[in-house]
Amino acid sequence: MILIHPVILSIFFMHSRLCETLDNARRHLLAARGPHGHWVGQLSASALSTATAVFALSRVNRPALVPAGVRWLVAHQNADGGWGDTVRSVSNVSTTALCWAALAGHPAGDTAVSLAEKWLKTAAGSLEPSALAKAIADKYGKDRTFSVPILTMLAIAGRLGPDPWRFVPQLPFELAALPFEWFQVVRLPVVSYALPALIAIGHARHANRPGNLVSRTVRNLASPTTLRLLREIQPTTGGYLEATPLTSFVLMSLVSAGLTDHPVVPHAVEFLERSVRPDGSWPIDTNLATWVTTLAVNALGGGTALGGASRLTVDWLLNQQYRTVHPYTRAAPGGWAWTDLSGGVPDADDTPGALLALAKLGEPDAATLSAAVAGVTWLLDLQNDDGGIPTFCKGWTGLPFDRSSNDLTAHALLAWGAWFDRLPAPLRHRVVTAAKRATRYLSRTQRRDGAWAPLWFGNQHAAEIENLTCGTSRVLRLAELLTPSPLRGEGWGGGERSHPGGGFTPHPHPPPQGGRGPDRTRTDWFPASWNQRIEAGVRWLVANQNPDGGWGGRAGTPSSVEETGLALEGLAIAGGNETAAIDRGVRWLAEATDRGTRFPASPIGFYFANLWYFEELYPVIFTVAGLSRVAAR
């Protein structure tokens, strides 16, 4: 009788579980790709978006969609009487207040209103306008990007007492009349993407509660210019940033200011009417097509998985690159946005994602190489003085989405590494300088416990809603720029070369165009202490694995498919000796997805102003990405 050692049996069953789950998940992800070679995804329905859309449409007397929206809000109220941003989110004061305002005057929502008022009294201490306004303002601190729009809707709805506009701070919309280049100097109280809200809400406050003679005169003089700008930056779809809340706030504010005939209004109405879901709800944004496509390509490993359709994906991605100055943020040509629709804005997460995907989709032709050079340059020009990478605009404000962040900085470094060997010599020199500054930034921002915090993902169960698992795993991916791996051949940092058919093999020769050789090409991007920082990040991930084998945003938060996939990806790249933690994570992920056949989504995504969402493709993509890296070990 042949006896098989228990360790060998354990390895066999773990390998079988891994392969089956990964194969099923890859098939699921490939089946979700559209006929034109890209993914669209499905964003979660949003109570916040639905409340703002219902209210805005009621203000312009477009009642057709309002009853269904009211019914949806009532049906999706949390058991505690509040609302969260999504149907899987815990209640929060912002969304509950907006739903409370939206349901005003609708008999079908009377019971829901009563329950909401009880929740708000507990959360804010009182329904008195001053207490409610303080609770909302305190949630966002000095950033008025979202607190002022919420207070504006409450004021219009009559939820802030007999003198409601005194609780709404006046946004200095007159500053939008200044040359765009001055915005960095004047330090607007809202982030760059919120310019439409600054203008429209500023006009509403000005019309309903004018200031003194001087401010009134200045704003009256600036009004024609700012209102013209508001129309100029409205995309052809009518939706600012393709975002329902932002477009709704603009619409209700213009109406409140007596500007119902302004040309922005009908286009905004059309956007809201076109973007409603069959169940009466609205999502936070129309789609994240470009973002989920690049995530999917990078998770699948590129051209081999896509077969003959890889050229379709390349062409589609090339078509999404901005070739002219963007009218909204004045972003230079060369970047990518999150969506294929006109409301998108180039940013420093989708641009690296597109660059990485294009690098994996086969040997670049002239058009692809030209696009990559433009994208790399765009990221270089965006780098902040602190060495980090912001989302939209360099040095505009110190507010979220305009200040540097860990996840975007790490993403840019990976993109620079993927294309470094193919860049012209002068651009390579710029990349080296920028990369050194970026890695010094990441060294400074690592926490004492080894973790990094991200900007675009959160965890509703964690302290300060930070998703340290996501941030740490994103930075740990940089280890692939330094160490050999089965996915990277000789370990040069981006280093696969692709055959025309899409297969990848290691670089057989030193880098072209005068590069310095594999041992030095990426190593000198990093400070001497970088290996210790990576090790500290790995230790943090292992220490914060839940007893069930999965990961949440940190230890003690519920495990999710998304966060476990992200953690496995980071550990598989950087944590070579952490086999036990990886095995436990694979086991949990296989069970949670029923061997790669079901993918429950969790609200870990942050949209603008920390609005929560979940995306149906995230758990699939992050499962494939994490298990692919583990399998490649």
Side-chain angles (χ1 to χ4, degrees):
M1 183 181 208
I2 300 175
L3 296 178
I4 302 177
H5 195 282
V7 173
I8 297 177
L9 280 175
S10 175
I11 293 172
F12 172 80
F13 286 119
M14 184 272 191
H15 180 71
S16 173
R17 184 187 302 112
L18 167 63
C19 291
E20 181 183 1
T21 305
L22 177 56
D23 286 347
N24 287 335
R26 284 168 65 90
R27 280 194 293 270
H28 190 102
L29 183 55
L30 286 168
R33 182 182 48 170
H36 301 295
H38 68 277
W39 286 258
V40 175
Q42 177 76 26
L43 282 163
S44 54
S46 165
L48 185 145
S49 295
T50 303
T52 58
V54 162
F55 187 74
L57 290 172
S58 68
R59 305 308 293 179
V60 292
N61 196 26
R62 301 294 281 265
L65 302 178
V66 171
V70 168
R71 287 194 298 271
W72 189 93
L73 288 174
V74 171
H76 291 87
Q77 187 174 27
N78 286 340
D80 61 9
W83 282 268
D85 294 356
T86 78
V87 295
R88 298 173 191 169
S89 298
V90 296
S91 300
N92 67 71
V93 68
S94 302
T95 305
T96 302
L98 290 171
C99 293
W100 177 56
L103 293 175
H106 295 284
D110 285 348
T111 301
V113 166
S114 298
L115 294 172
E117 288 176 346
K118 292 179 181 178
W119 190 93
L120 286 169
K121 285 178 183 178
T122 301
S126 168
L127 281 182
E128 286 297 315
S130 57
L132 196 55
K134 183 180 185 302
I136 291 169
D138 288 349
K139 179 178 178 180
Y140 299 98
K142 66 178 181 178
D143 183 3
R144 295 181 175 180
T145 302
F146 203 52
S147 61
V148 175
I150 295 170
L151 293 172
T152 297
M153 182 165 154
L154 291 174
I156 297 171
R159 294 297 201 187
L160 292 180
D163 188 12
W165 291 96
R166 73 186 181 94
F167 298 104
V168 181
Q170 174 65 64
L171 293 178
F173 71 90
E174 65 275 10
L175 296 180
L178 297 173
F180 188 85
E181 294 75 15
W182 291 26
F183 287 3
Q184 293 185 23
V185 178
V186 298
R187 294 280 170 169
L188 299 178
V190 298
V191 295
S192 55
Y193 71 81
L195 189 59
L198 173 83
I199 296 171
I201 293 173
H203 274 278
R205 172 61 161 73
H206 176 58
N208 287 280
R209 191 181 173 87
N212 58 45
L213 179 61
V214 174
S215 62
R216 223 172 29 242
T217 301
V218 170
R219 288 168 184 148
N220 286 338
L221 291 172
S223 289
T225 301
T226 58
L227 290 172
R228 184 170 60 251
L229 175 61
L230 188 64
R231 177 66 185 113
E232 289 173 354
I233 64 177
Q234 187 176 31
T236 57
T237 61
Y240 294 98
L241 301 183
E242 300 299 320
T244 295
L246 178 57
T247 306
S248 299
F249 286 132
V250 169
L251 178 57
M252 69 179 74
S253 297
L254 290 177
V255 174
S256 177
L259 298 168
T260 307
D261 295 330
H262 191 276
V264 162
V265 169
H267 295 288
V269 170
E270 290 170 8
F271 170 77
L272 293 179
E273 292 178 336
R274 189 171 54 250
S275 55
V276 67
R277 295 262 173 90
D279 64 359
S281 70
W282 278 263
I284 204 77
D285 200 280
T286 308
N287 70 53
L288 307 181
T290 303
W291 175 239
V292 295
T293 295
T294 62
L295 286 177
V297 169
N298 289 316
L300 290 165
T304 303
L306 299 182
S310 61
R311 187 67 233 180
L312 281 175
T313 308
V314 170
D315 291 341
W316 186 84
L317 284 174
L318 293 178
N319 286 334
Q320 306 316 312
Q321 188 176 33
Y322 285 81
R323 308 287 180 173
T324 59
V325 174
H326 196 279
Y328 194 146
T329 58
R330 303 298 196 274
W336 278 264
W338 60 91
T339 179
D340 57 343
L341 301 172
S342 63
V345 175
D347 68 80
D349 215 5
D350 294 285
T351 298
L355 289 171
L356 287 166
L358 289 171
K360 291 185 177 181
L361 284 170
E363 188 69 25
D365 55 16
T368 304
L369 183 57
S370 175
V373 167
V376 166
T377 303
W378 191 87
L379 286 172
L380 291 169
D381 291 340
L382 196 69
Q383 189 173 32
N384 274 332
D385 292 341
D386 62 7
I389 303 294
T391 303
F392 297 114
C393 300
K394 178 179 179 178
W396 188 326
T397 73
L399 300 177
F401 305 106
D402 282 331
R403 63 174 178 239
S404 301
S405 65
N406 296 318
D407 40 346
L408 272 63
T409 302
H411 211 181
L413 280 161
L414 286 173
W416 290 337
W419 286 97
F420 185 79
D421 300 331
R422 298 182 177 101
L423 300 176
L427 196 55
R428 289 206 312 275
H429 291 313
R430 282 195 66 190
V431 167
V432 170
T433 301
K436 289 180 178 179
R437 294 176 59 218
T439 54
R440 287 197 296 270
Y441 166 82
L442 290 173
S443 295
R444 292 194 304 272
T445 56
Q446 186 179 28
R447 302 190 176 196
R448 289 184 178 180
D449 59 6
W452 281 275
L455 175 63
W456 284 96
F457 289 89
N459 184 288
Q460 62 183 351
H461 304 288
E464 299 181 356
I465 61 175
E466 290 179 319
N467 198 321
L468 299 181
T469 295
C470 175
T472 304
S473 67
R474 297 292 84 183
V475 178
L476 289 182
R477 293 169 62 200
L478 294 176
E480 72 181 34
L481 298 181
L482 293 171
T483 56
S485 80
L487 289 182
R488 292 187 355 19
E490 297 300 318
W492 300 19
E496 300 93 351
R497 285 281 186 169
S498 57
H499 296 301
F504 287 86
T505 58
H507 279 290
H509 304 296
Q513 304 178 13
R516 286 169 298 170
D519 292 335
R520 292 282 294 163
T521 302
R522 309 296 186 276
T523 304
D524 62 355
W525 291 11
F526 297 88
S529 63
W530 188 250
N531 283 339
Q532 288 75 27
R533 296 193 176 280
I534 289 292
E535 290 168 2
V538 168
R539 286 196 300 272
W540 187 92
L541 272 184
V542 173
N544 282 269
Q545 187 175 25
N546 283 330
D548 61 11
W551 277 267
R554 64 184 310 161
T557 62
S559 298
S560 77
V561 173
E562 294 93 336
E563 289 151 330
T564 302
L566 288 166
L568 285 173
E569 183 181 15
L571 287 179
I573 293 170
N577 296 323
E578 301 298 340
T579 304
I582 291 173
D583 288 355
R584 292 175 58 227
V586 169
R587 185 179 299 109
W588 185 92
L589 197 56
E591 293 174 357
T593 63
D594 196 10
R595 300 289 181 108
T597 59
R598 53 181 294 273
F599 298 91
S602 301
I604 68 165
F606 266 164
Y607 200 63
F608 302 110
N610 288 1
L611 308 184
W612 296 92
Y613 73 90
F614 59 85
E615 161 59 56
E616 298 292 348
L617 281 181
Y618 277 175
V620 191
I621 289 170
F622 295 151
T623 294
V624 172
L627 295 184
S628 293
R629 291 290 187 171
V630 173
R633 287 160 57 89

